[in-house]
Amino acid sequence: MAYWLMKSEPSVFGLHDLERAPDRRTHWDGVRNYQARNWLRDVFRPGDLAFLYHSNAAATGVAAIMEVMSEGYPDPSAFLSDDPHHDPKSDPANPTWYCVDLQLVRPLTRLIGLAEIKQNPQLASMLLVRPGNRLSVMPVTAEEWAAVLAMEQA
DNA sequence: GCCAACGTTGGC
DNA sequence: GCCAACGTTGGC
């Protein structure tokens, strides 16, 4: 079982939206980065857990825990001409982009802020805090996962 | 809103 | 295949 971190701008889709979604479940579509695509397509498995991370917001940080509910499958938004994530170069017969389904497990009792995460020596090597990292989907180690959750009580 | 850092594109 | 220009991400 693997752990992941998924970034989303709360003004576009955040914890609030996930809590209101049917079954508190969503299609995590629109990822347009090849490294992230490879993980979604090849590595994500049902039962994996993922942090929901709020990016580009007044308060950035880890907001919730989600569970992976599907294997990776072709991202339908790539084929919709009126979708903001439309990619005319993606061939439905050989899709470029993949997505997964995620379900809310629970919100964290408080937002674990990026600044706190950067200050935690246990999380110094977390991909999230690597300078210039622009991945919107990234793996989290079991140790990092536990260290973030330990901060929830602080 | 600024801007640094990065991935992608496209000319050659 | 190189690499400069461009667009995007995302913290601040």
Side-chain angles (χ1 to χ4, degrees):
Chain A
M1 183 200 125
Y3 298 100
W4 305 98
L5 183 145
M6 325 292 288
K7 286 183 189 172
S8 185
E9 302 192 18
S11 62
V12 178
F13 185 90
L15 173 58
H16 198 66
D17 303 289
L18 185 56
E19 287 180 309
R20 288 158 174 245
D23 282 340
R24 305 170 115 201
R25 191 169 164 151
T26 189
H27 311 288
W28 203 269
D29 60 9
V31 175
R32 297 292 179 266
N33 169 282
Y34 285 100
Q35 176 66 73
R37 184 282 308 273
N38 292 344
W39 285 321
L40 290 169
R41 184 188 60 190
D42 305 330
V43 190
F44 272 66
R45 292 290 177 264
D48 289 355
L49 295 176
F51 286 135
L52 172 61
Y53 176 86
H54 283 175
S55 68
N56 207 13
T60 59
V62 176
I65 298 172
M66 306 182 288
E67 181 175 350
V68 177
M69 304 301 286
S70 74
E71 307 270 327
Y73 60 94
D75 181 346
S77 71
F79 309 123
L80 303 173
S81 58
D82 60 346
D83 190 285
H85 299 295
H86 178 230
D87 180 3
K89 296 194 296 295
S90 180
D91 175 4
N94 183 21
T96 307
W97 305 117
Y98 280 70
C99 62
V100 296
D101 291 352
L102 295 170
Q103 185 174 44
L104 180 65
V105 173
R106 67 172 179 89
L108 297 190
T109 56
R110 65 185 192 87
L111 185 86
I112 311 297
L114 178 61
E116 296 179 64
I117 290 172
K118 284 180 172 172
Q119 286 165 16
N120 186 337
Q122 291 178 283
L123 297 174
S125 60
M126 203 176 178
L127 273 176
L128 178 69
V129 299
R130 299 267 179 90
N133 170 34
R134 293 178 48 189
L135 292 164
S136 66
V137 173
M138 66 189 86
V140 173
T141 69
E143 292 76 17
E144 291 161 355
W145 183 271
V148 171
L149 288 184
M151 295 173 72
E152 199 180 4
Q153 315 306 333

